[in-house]
């Protein structure tokens, strides 16, 4: 198994902290226990920049901290958050945002996050809620649908803007010329 680099460990720490803080600021939805917040946009950007393991650990650690400081860990959704980071990281692997960001890469990022959120909130979270907590089906799929839509929209807008902003700050190899 490959060791995590210092850069990856730092990214996990910063990403999990941002996930936690952004998760505390949320807008309630009409669906019980479901909110709109921005932490998944940050998780998606970090997963894209640092890979699937970093994305997965940000989701797992950040969501665990968030739940532990509110109503207690809800493991099905913690696992779904980790799963979303993992999938986004896998689909965007080798995207090389440091080399520039074009329309094709932005589309790839958004396809990755839509797939990840659909699977995480439409399948993983509800199925684990049934297995772990014996929750009623109608509630689960309403929550999953609301969470999935909210996360797709916020990640699509805020995540894309963050990725574009990041790409603009990166100095590309060979772009600096030596002055005479």
């Amino acid at each position: 198994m490959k060791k995590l680099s210092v850069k990856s460990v730092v990214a996990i720490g910063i990403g999990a902290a941002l996930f936690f803080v952004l998760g505390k600021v949320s807008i309630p939805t009409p669906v019980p226990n479901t909110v709109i917040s921005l932490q998944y946009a940050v998780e998606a950007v970090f997963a894209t920049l640092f890979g699937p393991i970093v994305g997965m650990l940000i989701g797992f650690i950040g969501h665990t901290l968030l739940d532990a400081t509110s109503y207690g860990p809800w493991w099905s959704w913690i696992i779904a958050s980790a799963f979303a980071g993992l999938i986004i990281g896998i689909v965007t692997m080798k995207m090389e945002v440091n080399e520039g960001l074009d329309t094709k890469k932005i589309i790839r990022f958004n396809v990755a996050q839509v797939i990840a959120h659909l699977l995480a909130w439409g399948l993983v979270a509800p199925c684990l809620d049934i297995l772990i907590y014996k929750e009623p089906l109608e509630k689960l799929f309403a929550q999953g649908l609301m969470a999935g839509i909210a996360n797709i929209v916020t990640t699509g807008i805020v995540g894309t803007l963050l990725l574009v902003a990041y790409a603009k700050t990166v100095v590309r190899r060979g772009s600096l010329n030596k002055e005479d």
Side-chain angles (χ1 to χ4, degrees):
M1 186 171 159
K2 186 179 167 189
K3 285 185 178 180
L4 288 174
S5 69
V6 171
K7 191 171 162 182
S8 292
V9 172
V10 170
I12 291 164
I14 292 170
L18 287 170
F19 189 103
F20 170 76
V21 170
L22 291 171
K24 289 290 187 185
V25 181
S26 58
I27 302 167
T29 70
V31 179
N33 301 319
T34 311
V35 297
I36 300 169
S37 55
L38 301 177
Q39 71 263 31
Y40 292 100
V42 170
E43 178 189 31
V45 170
F46 274 73
T48 299
L49 297 175
F50 298 101
I53 302 302
V54 170
M56 178 184 72
L57 290 172
I58 287 170
F60 185 83
I61 295 166
H63 201 137
T64 301
L65 291 171
L66 191 57
D67 282 5
T69 58
S70 50
Y71 44 80
W74 197 260
W75 295 109
S76 52
W77 283 52
I78 290 169
I79 292 166
S81 290
F83 178 83
L86 178 71
I87 296 303
I88 293 167
I90 289 170
V91 176
T92 60
M93 250 174 150
K94 298 184 174 97
M95 206 163 83
E96 301 300 333
V97 175
N98 292 340
E99 299 299 320
L101 191 64
D102 56 18
T103 304
K104 186 177 174 184
K105 289 179 182 178
I106 291 170
I107 290 170
R108 184 172 169 188
F109 170 78
N110 279 289
V111 166
Q113 67 96 358
V114 167
I115 290 168
H117 289 307
L118 287 175
L119 291 172
W121 310 113
L123 188 64
V124 174
C127 290
L128 289 176
D129 273 344
I130 293 165
L131 291 170
I132 298 170
Y133 302 109
K134 311 286 189 258
E135 291 285 324
L137 286 178
E138 9 357 284
K139 174 186 161 191
L140 298 180
F141 289 101
Q143 288 176 328
L145 179 65
M146 185 71 236
I149 291 169
N151 294 338
I152 287 168
V153 171
T154 58
T155 303
I157 296 168
V158 177
T160 300
L161 290 173
L162 288 172
L163 210 54
V164 168
Y166 172 81
K168 286 183 178 184
T169 67
V170 177
V171 178
R172 288 161 207 24
R173 268 185 251 149
S175 67
L176 297 177
N177 296 325
K178 183 178 175 184
E179 290 188 24
D180 295 322

